[in-house]
Amino acid sequence: AEVQKQIDGGIAPAEIAIIVRSNREVEDMSASLRKAGIPAQASAESDILYHPVTQTIEQLLRAVTQSDQGALFTVLQGAYWGISAADTTRICAAQNYKRKLSEIVTDTELLLELGVSDTTAIDHLVTVLDEARKRNNVEAPHEVLAYLLEASLYKEYVLQHDPYDGARIIRRLYDEIEELVKRDKKSTLADVLSVFAQRRAYGLPLSAPFIGSELNAVQVMTAHKSKGLEFEVVFAPHLTDNAWGGKTRRELFKIPRQTAMAADADDDEKRLLYVLMTRAKRSLFLSNSELNADGRPSTTSRLLSEIED
């Protein structure tokens, strides 16, 4: 609301910056602005392994490579197939120990008995997955992925509903899988899924840059990215102790011996916050919420208390 107020007051969107601590905040803040109808230009890279688009694509790959009823259940509920919620409910409710979901969706007579109104959409899903399984035996994983994204209409759906994130994530995933084929000789979708699982297990991010498309948009970036830039108006949200200065625990009970490492870390945080604050030419908004996402009280960054009046 305050960003919109600044724009309505005559400040050009490109002269407004929201500067945060982490790449994840860049992603969230950019999405919030766009949802509010405010053009936003994100400048960062983010880990896309846990993004909903990535996870949907992985479920598609699992439904192709494994007899995973859970993956098929998730895929069946994808809005991009055009299957109604009522039909999905009827199909899923018909499962039991003797009759698997994969058997139900391939039995047209049973679907009609269950009262499914649009068997064509179910047939389309089954056909796409079957064809992808055949291709997985003879084609490279990135080629199978390309077929899946096109034939399922998921690529079209994502670019229609989430063009900013959708484009960069699909592009990055395709490039990564193609690289796994050419560089690491991964020859099946199962190999690709295994690599993604290993990345999560060892905390190795899969980074993707944000794609710039708005020339006159609010700039959203990390403090590191903001070095050397200036804006009329700067917003610095999430100034909590956890995000700023909370890398080491606050010492309520102090022991005289201080390590140089802890002191250096605090100094680095101070310098970075100073960089952020001095990006503003006219107005600077510093804020943090009283509660965190879990509903627990959040503490204002200790660095703010050290700024003199």
Side-chain angles (χ1 to χ4, degrees):
E2 187 60 43
V3 169
Q4 187 62 60
K5 182 179 175 182
Q6 294 291 323
I7 294 172
D8 294 341
I11 303 294
E15 280 296 329
I16 300 173
I18 298 178
I19 305 178
V20 293
R21 188 69 180 85
S22 68
N23 283 327
R24 179 68 207 178
E25 292 169 282
V26 172
E27 190 172 356
D28 292 342
M29 195 60 69
S30 301
S32 296
L33 286 168
R34 292 178 186 132
K35 202 171 288 184
I38 300 172
Q41 174 70 60
S43 178
E45 289 191 346
S46 67
D47 182 7
I48 64 171
L49 275 178
Y50 296 94
H51 194 283
V53 171
T54 302
Q55 293 180 331
T56 296
I57 290 174
E58 281 194 80
Q59 291 296 333
L60 265 172
L61 301 185
R62 285 195 187 94
V64 170
T65 60
Q66 306 168 9
S67 56
D68 185 342
Q69 301 300 300
L72 180 57
F73 175 79
T74 303
V75 167
L76 184 65
Q77 297 178 76
Y80 51 95
W81 296 110
I83 303 170
S84 71
D87 282 349
T88 302
T89 302
R90 291 187 183 97
I91 293 168
C92 294
Q95 292 181 92
N96 54 46
Y97 289 110
K98 295 182 179 180
R99 194 162 54 189
K100 293 182 178 180
L101 186 59
S102 56
E103 296 170 355
I104 297 171
V105 295
T106 55
D107 190 335
T108 304
E109 288 186 12
L110 176 57
L111 293 174
L112 292 172
E113 286 178 20
L114 295 173
V116 171
S117 60
D118 184 7
T119 58
T120 304
I122 310 296
D123 289 342
H124 177 230
L125 180 151
V126 171
T127 300
V128 169
L129 294 182
D130 281 348
E131 177 63 21
R133 290 186 187 103
K134 293 175 185 175
R135 290 174 181 245
N136 191 39
N137 293 323
V138 294
E139 294 182 6
H142 60 285
E143 294 172 339
V144 182
L145 173 64
Y147 165 77
L148 264 176
L149 294 175
E150 294 283 357
S152 67
L153 303 181
Y154 184 61
K155 186 179 83 170
E156 180 182 324
Y157 177 86
V158 168
L159 296 182
Q160 181 180 347
H161 290 84
D162 191 7
Y164 297 100
D165 271 354
R168 73 185 183 94
I169 291 171
I170 288 177
R171 178 78 261 172
R172 182 68 180 88
L173 283 174
Y174 181 88
D175 290 346
E176 177 67 17
I177 292 174
E178 184 178 31
E179 187 70 13
L180 288 174
V181 171
K182 294 180 177 179
R183 183 193 64 211
D184 300 332
K185 311 303 179 188
K186 303 299 182 183
S187 59
T188 67
L189 292 178
D191 293 336
V192 170
L193 288 168
S194 177
V195 170
F196 286 168
Q198 287 177 342
R199 277 185 170 275
R200 289 195 182 93
Y202 292 102
L204 301 174
L206 181 61
S207 298
F210 288 93
I211 298 171
S213 59
E214 296 280 357
L215 295 177
N216 191 26
V218 174
Q219 304 298 299
V220 187
M221 65 190 68
T222 62
H224 284 289
K225 286 273 187 177
S226 74
K227 292 179 180 179
L229 304 174
E230 283 189 328
F231 304 91
E232 289 292 318
V233 180
V234 169
F235 290 86
H238 309 160
L239 289 173
T240 62
D241 205 43
N242 186 47
W244 286 92
K247 303 303 179 188
T248 56
R249 296 176 66 88
R250 183 190 291 272
E251 291 187 10
L252 300 177
F253 174 70
K254 294 186 178 181
I255 298 175
R257 187 177 69 85
Q258 293 277 343
T259 64
M261 188 179 295
D264 288 346
D266 276 351
D267 287 343
D268 287 343
E269 290 288 295
K270 286 179 188 176
R271 281 192 286 268
L272 191 58
L273 183 58
Y274 178 79
V275 167
L276 184 161
M277 295 172 67
T278 52
R279 300 310 90 199
K281 292 191 282 187
R282 179 183 299 186
S283 302
L284 173 66
F285 293 84
L286 305 173
S287 65
N288 70 285
S289 61
E290 294 180 350
L291 302 175
N292 65 16
D294 298 323
R296 289 189 285 236
S298 62
T299 307
T300 303
S301 172
R302 73 191 76 172
L303 301 180
L304 292 184
S305 66
E306 297 176 10
I307 299 174
E308 295 181 6
D309 291 342

